[in-house]
Amino acid sequence: MGKPTGFKEFPREVVPYRDPMERANDFLEIFTNAPVEHLMTQGARCMDCGVPFCMSNSGCPIDNLIPEWNDLVYQGRWRDALARLHKTNNFPEFTGRACPAPCEGSCVLGITDPPVTIKNIENAIIDRGWEEGWIQPQPPEFETGKKVAIVGSGPAGLAAAQQLRRAGHDVTVYERADRIGGLLMYGIPWMKLGKDVVERRVDQMRAEGVKFVTCAHVGREEDFPAGHMTQIMQERGCKVKFIDPQHLVDEFDAVLLATGATKPFDPTGRTPGRDLQGIHFAMDFLTRNTKSLVDSQLADKTYLSAKDKNVVVIGGGDTGADCIGTSLRHGAKSIVNFELLDKPPAERAENNPWPEWPRIYRVDYSHAEVEARTGEDPRKYSILTKEFVGENGKITGVKTVKVEWGKPTGGAPFTEVEGSEKIWPADLVLLATGFVGPELAVGEMLGLETTEPRRGWTTFKAEHGPFATSTEGVFAAGDCRRGQSLVVWAINEGRGAARAVDEYLMGFTTLSAPGLNLPQQVV
């Protein structure tokens, strides 16, 4: 694949983001376009490696035909590359932007040299496909007469919907927000995934015949999440409809739950001062910002503003980085990010061999932006939050202590460093500490079995492959079945569930599904 000696001749050159000092002043996408010659050269680095681990269990969960489209880009056969990309992935523009690229961590070239820039090439292929008009609606050639309801319009729900519609089924997707896309629309900031990018794919699915119902909460009215976002939705004309899930079971031939893992994890729940004003879950902060941005370019002031505030982000990962980037764009006075774990090593540790995902030190887009602005990385490692400090009921600071790992004490895997206490100024605290599974009310109403709690996780019980729950005709896929995970895993689950539903309805299926031999659940 690629040029036989390309990996020897050409160094890895990543397509750069926009200048950090420039991009931190707006919410436009951070990506830049690379010259075609650059992408062809990078595609040439793909080796004829015999066993392409980029496509393995540790690489790409949707079995992307990576060496094939790398080679096609190297040859300048872009439309063929797009066809190969779409063969396994419904939404390469989502994974090309929002996926952390485990495929690159498993690239065989990465054993001795920097891996192939797989993510850059994937993104370039799909963007060119849209620009050239090669991507068109693909309505089914025949109708089966079967009806499928999908609850949730995140990547798992959308992938399943597109697959099932193309198989000829009548598909209706229910979304409780006022726009389609779930996490893709409101959870991932615009600068990482433009909402026009999401909407053009939704428009394609509409043209294929998928029906979308927004402002539709499947479940009990008392379980509908209260809060500022709900209030804004109501004010903007999104009058929420409450739908009994049993009605869907009775009305449709199959029901697929793809509701995501939206129940937040709060490790600070018992921390003194947790009830002070100014402490928010990260996803509330991010969704309110994106909704205000989409509705009015922030003019309506309905978002949580970080302007002129000392912001503390507790928890790392993509969500923590997005909170940092959003706060910076608001004009925060200061930003600091606490991570409980040690700073990762620059290179793989001995207990983290290839082709595992490399647990190494990385600088995400927002970390680079803060460092460009202040001269300092916002992340502080080995930090444990001990207390939230406040005045007149409002947060004013966060008291922390440094920890030393490898010296267990009192049941914890670390020891608090004596004399390391510190109070950090804080006007806004954002908890980017993950999720513990789906909201279970809809499952309770349908009598679904759930998994045994595991490290705080509880999900709808359904085996990867069949995706069938304990209730006849009801399936589950994505984070509500698997637990909090990546966009690429959601697409894996959506495609797999579509295959299972199609076989359930028809007795056979021609739909392809990736990774049916992959682990059922990873927590």
Side-chain angles (χ1 to χ4, degrees), residues 29 31 86 90-98 123 126-127 130 135 152-159 162 173 175 177-208 210 212 214 290 294 487 491:
E29 283 196 338
F31 311 104
H86 266 146
N90 296 73
F91 314 122
E93 63 269 47
F94 302 160
T95 53
R97 286 165 166 81
N123 218 23
I126 189 63
D127 282 353
W130 283 106
I135 301 171
S153 69
L158 291 181
Q162 188 168 67
V173 178
E175 168 58 54
D178 60 340
R179 289 182 174 88
I180 295 297
L183 175 79
L184 302 168
M185 175 54 68
Y186 286 139
I188 300 175
W190 192 304
M191 54 270 197
K192 278 176 57 175
L193 177 59
K195 305 314 152 189
D196 52 337
V197 172
V198 178
E199 289 176 339
R200 71 184 177 190
R201 187 62 83 168
V202 173
D203 287 343
Q204 179 203 29
M205 294 176 65
R206 281 197 181 96
E208 291 173 351
V210 177
F212 293 103
T214 56
T290 301
V294 174
V487 168
I491 295 173

Side-chain angles (χ1 to χ4, degrees), residues 40-119:
M40 293 174 68
T41 298
Q42 293 302 301
R45 297 185 70 239
C46 190
M47 307 165 65
D48 187 7
C49 55
V51 179
F53 276 78
C54 59
M55 299 167 57
S56 71
N57 291 10
S58 59
C60 181
I62 50 176
D63 301 343
N64 269 339
L65 304 171
I66 296 167
E68 295 187 30
W69 43 257
N70 278 339
D71 182 53
L72 290 167
V73 166
Y74 167 60
Q75 296 181 46
R77 295 167 57 188
W78 287 84
R79 191 159 189 170
D80 290 336
L82 177 67
R84 301 309 286 169
L85 185 53
H86 266 146
K87 191 173 181 63
T88 58
N89 188 352
N90 296 73
F91 314 122
E93 63 269 47
F94 302 160
T95 53
R97 286 165 166 81
C99 181
C103 52
E104 293 189 15
S106 296
C107 176
V108 173
L109 180 56
I111 299 174
T112 58
D113 293 278
V116 176
T117 57
I118 298 169
K119 183 174 177 177

Side-chain angles (χ1 to χ4, degrees), residues 13 23 32 39 64 83 117 134 159 183 198 209 220 256 270 275 283 355 358 360 370 416 419 445 453-454 458 510:
E13 293 183 8
R23 68 181 191 247
T32 64
L39 296 163
N64 269 339
T117 57
W134 296 336
L183 175 79
V198 178
R220 294 181 291 252
L256 172 63
R270 297 182 181 180
D275 58 347
M283 200 50 63
I360 59 175
V370 173
E416 296 182 13
M445 295 177 74
R454 181 184 177 192
T458 302
T510 58

Side-chain angles (χ1 to χ4, degrees), residues 369-515:
E369 291 166 358
V370 173
E371 189 162 5
R373 187 73 64 85
T374 68
E376 186 177 357
D377 190 312
R379 291 169 290 180
K380 307 299 176 185
Y381 295 92
S382 303
I383 296 289
L384 175 65
T385 300
K386 298 291 288 184
E387 182 181 353
F388 296 111
V389 180
E391 294 179 2
N392 301 318
K394 296 182 179 181
I395 188 78
T396 60
V398 181
K399 184 177 181 180
T400 67
V401 64
K402 287 191 69 65
V403 299
E404 187 174 349
W405 288 85
K407 294 183 178 181
T409 179
F414 52 73
T415 299
E416 296 182 13
V417 178
E418 188 176 349
S420 65
E421 293 84 3
K422 180 176 179 177
I423 295 180
W424 305 76
D427 306 301
L428 177 63
V429 175
L430 303 173
L431 303 178
T433 46
F435 301 87
V436 293
E439 298 162 40
L440 298 174
V442 64
E444 293 169 358
M445 295 177 74
L446 291 174
L448 304 188
E449 293 182 14
T450 57
T451 59
E452 291 294 324
R454 181 184 177 192
R455 283 189 274 177
W457 290 80
T458 302
T459 58
F460 299 132
K461 190 174 183 180
E463 184 181 348
H464 187 277
F467 293 96
T469 69
S470 56
T471 296
E472 177 71 19
V474 178
F475 299 78
D479 288 2
C480 71
R481 187 209 71 85
R482 177 183 175 80
Q484 178 188 355
S485 193
L486 306 175
V487 168
V488 69
W489 268 109
I491 295 173
N492 166 295
E493 298 245 333
R495 289 175 65 93
R499 177 182 171 87
V501 170
D502 187 41
E503 187 171 16
Y504 169 79
L505 295 175
M506 306 302 293
F508 67 95
T509 182
T510 58
L511 291 177
S512 63

Side-chain angles (χ1 to χ4, degrees), residues 196-404:
D196 52 337
V197 172
V198 178
E199 289 176 339
R200 71 184 177 190
R201 187 62 83 168
V202 173
D203 287 343
Q204 179 203 29
M205 294 176 65
R206 281 197 181 96
E208 291 173 351
V210 177
K211 302 169 187 173
F212 293 103
V213 181
T214 56
C215 302
H217 177 71
V218 178
R220 294 181 291 252
E221 184 171 353
E222 57 266 31
D223 296 317
F224 187 70
H228 197 73
M229 275 289 287
T230 303
Q231 179 184 341
I232 295 169
M233 284 169 55
Q234 300 280 20
E235 290 174 353
R236 298 292 165 80
C238 179
K239 187 175 181 180
V240 179
K241 301 173 286 289
F242 297 96
I243 301 171
D244 188 326
Q246 187 60 50
H247 170 75
L248 299 184
V249 173
D250 296 339
E251 178 82 9
F252 292 83
D253 297 296
V255 175
L256 172 63
L257 300 180
T259 56
T262 54
K263 191 175 180 180
F265 172 54
D266 185 3
T268 67
R270 297 182 181 180
T271 303
R274 175 62 181 84
D275 58 347
L276 289 167
Q277 294 180 33
I279 304 173
H280 301 269
F281 287 113
M283 200 50 63
D284 185 33
F285 174 72
L286 294 174
T287 55
R288 285 169 62 173
N289 181 80
T290 301
K291 176 160 178 57
S292 179
L293 189 65
V294 174
D295 284 347
S296 69
Q297 290 297 301
L298 304 183
D300 58 17
K301 304 295 183 183
T302 57
Y303 60 99
L304 275 169
S305 178
K307 184 174 177 58
D308 298 326
K309 293 180 180 178
N310 296 302
V311 178
V312 172
V313 180
I314 299 177
D318 288 343
T319 304
D322 292 340
C323 287
I324 293 170
T326 302
S327 298
L328 184 67
R329 284 159 175 77
H330 285 178
K333 182 178 180 181
S334 68
I335 305 172
V336 64
N337 181 201
F338 298 155
E339 298 217 26
L340 182 60
L341 298 176
D342 282 335
K343 182 177 180 179
E347 304 290 340
R348 288 180 184 268
E350 290 185 3
N351 64 351
N352 179 213
W354 175 90
E356 292 179 357
W357 171 249
R359 299 187 295 274
I360 59 175
Y361 177 75
R362 291 180 173 83
V363 177
D364 210 333
Y365 75 101
S366 61
H367 306 144
E369 291 166 358
V370 173
E371 189 162 5
R373 187 73 64 85
T374 68
E376 186 177 357
D377 190 312
R379 291 169 290 180
K380 307 299 176 185
Y381 295 92
S382 303
I383 296 289
L384 175 65
T385 300
K386 298 291 288 184
E387 182 181 353
F388 296 111
V389 180
E391 294 179 2
N392 301 318
K394 296 182 179 181
I395 188 78
T396 60
V398 181
K399 184 177 181 180
T400 67
V401 64
K402 287 191 69 65
V403 299
E404 187 174 349

